[in-house]
Amino acid sequence: MENRIIQDNTASPDTHNASYHDAVDNFDLNYKITPSTEKIDSLIHYHECFELIFYVAAHIEVYLDDLRYTLDSHDILIIPPMKIHKILYPEGQNYIRYVFYFTQEHIENAFSPILARKALQLFKSQGHYKVSLSAPEYLRLNNVFHNMYEHKQ
């Protein structure tokens, strides 16, 4: 679900939290479990790389520029580089997610030129930041992320 909101003009690349302004050499994959007792601060921030979040268990709101998205379990959020965003995690819920950071160079080196171009078009397309998966798609992608995470160790 997408809804237009008034853009928060106080957020700009110059007003970022340093821990969220990052560069990724190739890629980084994290598996994060946040218990319902832990509060997650919602900071307006951006990244110099792509961020893909695969939600295993969640019910959140995300603000990307002037759009609001509601994401649930089995949804994916694709955030292009330099896209200002804020993720709101309501208290009292468990959150499980894979967070994958990668650069354009990583995609270009990992795939053939044709597949890399198609992937980058998807990742850079305006207004298509949320992907909802069917049960079979979720199971396949969960296996892929699990295997990637296990092999990165």
Side-chain angles (χ1 to χ4, degrees):
M1 172 186 228
E2 301 175 24
N3 294 314
R4 295 255 173 218
I5 62 165
I6 297 172
Q7 186 170 354
D8 182 352
N9 292 324
T10 62
S12 71
D14 296 325
T15 61
H16 66 273
N17 177 312
S19 66
Y20 285 90
H21 173 82
D22 49 30
V24 174
D25 290 332
N26 281 317
F27 73 92
D28 188 29
L29 177 63
N30 298 296
Y31 181 68
K32 297 182 179 184
I33 300 174
T34 306
S36 61
T37 55
E38 186 176 327
K39 182 178 179 353
I40 303 175
D41 291 330
S42 300
L43 300 172
I44 297 172
H45 64 282
Y46 72 99
H47 307 275
E48 292 179 343
C49 58
F50 290 94
E51 179 179 17
L52 187 148
I53 308 171
F54 175 53
Y55 290 98
V56 176
H59 180 72
I60 62 164
E61 286 187 8
V62 175
Y63 294 89
L64 283 156
D65 289 338
D66 64 343
L67 296 175
R68 179 185 68 128
Y69 295 89
T70 300
L71 286 98
D72 292 300
S73 302
H74 304 185
D75 285 343
I76 297 173
L77 179 64
I78 301 169
I79 305 170
M82 309 307 286
K83 185 66 77 172
I84 296 172
H85 58 284
K86 180 178 182 176
I87 303 173
L88 302 174
Y89 293 92
E91 292 183 47
Q93 297 181 39
N94 294 321
Y95 296 103
I96 303 171
R97 63 218 178 271
Y98 288 95
V99 182
F100 185 36
Y101 300 99
F102 58 93
T103 63
Q104 178 170 333
E105 292 77 23
H106 177 255
I107 295 298
E108 290 169 344
N109 291 332
F111 298 102
S112 70
I114 292 171
L115 287 176
R117 193 169 36 255
K118 287 182 181 182
L120 290 168
Q121 285 173 350
L122 169 69
F123 296 141
K124 290 181 176 181
S125 66
Q126 295 295 322
H128 295 89
Y129 305 116
K130 174 186 172 181
V131 178
S132 296
L133 301 175
S134 67
E137 290 170 330
Y138 164 77
L139 291 173
R140 270 194 310 270
L141 195 55
N142 191 46
N143 285 335
V144 168
F145 274 103
H146 176 76
N147 288 334
M148 286 174 60
Y149 184 74
E150 289 297 315
H151 287 92
K152 92 167 197 137
Q153 302 300 331

